[in-house]
Amino acid sequence: MIPDNIKEQLIKWEQMGKNYSPTFNWTDLNDIAVKCGNKPFNLGCGDCRKQLLEYLLAVIKDGSSK
């Protein structure tokens, strides 16, 4: 459900210590999170965008992002 290129970017972000803001189409990421069963994130909030990335990483690690 999460495209491979996004998976790779999220894993790289995690490996780099999560200390920078990656460049994503946040609306697309939010749509992916909703399709994975989560409620939409507030994209106007920096902490909420980080929570969105953390959520998607958890989905990848859980193995439910086929």
Side-chain angles (χ1 to χ4, degrees):
M1 188 174 292
I2 299 174
D4 288 339
N5 63 325
I6 291 176
K7 285 182 190 179
E8 291 169 10
Q9 288 178 321
L10 286 169
I11 291 168
K12 184 177 181 180
W13 173 73
E14 181 182 43
Q15 291 172 342
M16 299 294 288
K18 303 177 187 176
N19 59 359
Y20 68 94
S21 181
T23 303
F24 285 110
N25 180 326
W26 294 99
T27 303
D28 287 349
L29 291 184
N30 215 12
D31 289 344
I32 291 168
V34 170
K35 288 177 184 174
C36 290
N38 203 48
K39 63 183 172 87
F41 287 83
N42 176 359
L43 298 180
C45 162
D47 285 339
C48 298
R49 287 192 302 268
K50 186 172 182 179
Q51 291 171 7
L52 170 57
L53 297 178
E54 296 282 359
Y55 172 77
L56 292 175
L57 271 172
V59 169
I60 291 167
K61 290 178 180 183
D62 185 44
S64 59
S65 64
K66 306 283 185 218

